[in-house]
Amino acid sequence: PALELIPTNGRHGASSRRERLVRSTLKAAWAKFGVEDLDEETSEYMVGVACTVIAEAATARDAELELFQSLGPILRAQDLKDKYVSALCKALGRAVSDTKEEESEQDDDVICRCKDLILMYLGSTQLLLKDTTFELRKGH
C-alpha cells in the first residue's frame, strides 16, 4: 500500500512510554541504592525534567550529560554518591536510544510523517481516526 497509518495508542504514545521508562528506572534505582522514596512533588519534577531532556536529546550521551547537570544536584541531595548519580543518569539516557529507535525505524524510506492525526468526514462530528501517526513511505 502507498499509505501506512500507524496508531500511537493515545495522544502521547511515545511520551507515555518514555514516562513509564523514567518512572521504572527511578524506582529501580531507589531500591538498588537503598534510598527512601522522594516526596510526590520532587518525584514529579524529576520525571518531568528527565522526560523533557530525553525527548529533546539527539543521543544517549547528550541526554546523560544534560540529566547529570539538571538532576545531579537533586540526586546528590538524596545522599547519592556521584558514581550512583552518574549510573542513574546513564541509565535514564539510554531511554533515548530505546524511544528514538522506534520513532526513526526505517527513516530513510519516510517521505512525510504527521503525528497526532485526526481523520473525520466533512461535516461530521464523529472521529474516524484520532491521535494516529501518518507516514508516507518511498516504494511502499
Side-chain angles (χ1 to χ4, degrees), residues 58-128:
T59 66
R61 181 71 179 147
D62 290 346
E64 180 184 341
L65 294 173
E66 182 66 30
L67 287 165
F68 192 82
Q69 287 180 337
S70 302
L71 298 180
I74 297 170
L75 294 170
R76 282 189 219 92
Q78 302 303 313
D79 295 326
L80 280 181
K81 297 178 183 175
D82 277 341
K83 69 178 185 178
Y84 293 150
V85 173
S86 293
L88 180 54
C89 291
K90 188 172 188 172
L92 288 168
R94 282 190 213 127
V96 171
S97 304
D98 295 342
T99 56
K100 297 244 180 200
E101 277 179 19
E102 279 183 7
E103 292 173 8
S104 66
E105 188 178 312
Q106 298 176 344
D107 267 348
D108 294 339
D109 292 341
V110 175
I111 296 170
C112 173
R113 177 181 289 134
C114 299
K115 294 185 178 185
D116 299 328
L117 180 75
I118 297 174
L119 181 65
M120 302 172 66
Y121 283 119
L122 184 62
S124 173
T125 58
Q126 186 174 6
L127 298 175
L128 298 174

Side-chain angles (χ1 to χ4, degrees), residues 122-137:
L122 184 62
S124 173
T125 58
Q126 186 174 6
L127 298 175
L128 298 174
L129 292 173
K130 181 179 180 209
D131 302 325
T132 301
T133 298
F134 168 81
E135 288 186 348
L136 181 61
R137 293 176 175 256

Side-chain angles (χ1 to χ4, degrees), residues 14-83:
S15 63
S16 65
R17 181 178 181 280
R18 188 178 301 118
E19 184 178 333
R20 286 192 311 270
L21 244 163
V22 167
R23 286 183 191 281
S24 64
T25 302
L26 289 173
K27 186 175 181 179
W30 297 153
K32 182 176 182 176
F33 302 147
V35 177
E36 291 182 31
D37 285 337
L38 300 174
D39 62 87
E40 185 69 25
E41 289 175 356
T42 305
S43 180
E44 288 302 313
Y45 173 77
M46 288 182 63
V47 168
V49 168
C51 287
T52 301
V53 168
I54 290 167
E56 294 175 356
T59 66
R61 181 71 179 147
D62 290 346
E64 180 184 341
L65 294 173
E66 182 66 30
L67 287 165
F68 192 82
Q69 287 180 337
S70 302
L71 298 180
I74 297 170
L75 294 170
R76 282 189 219 92
Q78 302 303 313
D79 295 326
L80 280 181
K81 297 178 183 175
D82 277 341
K83 69 178 185 178

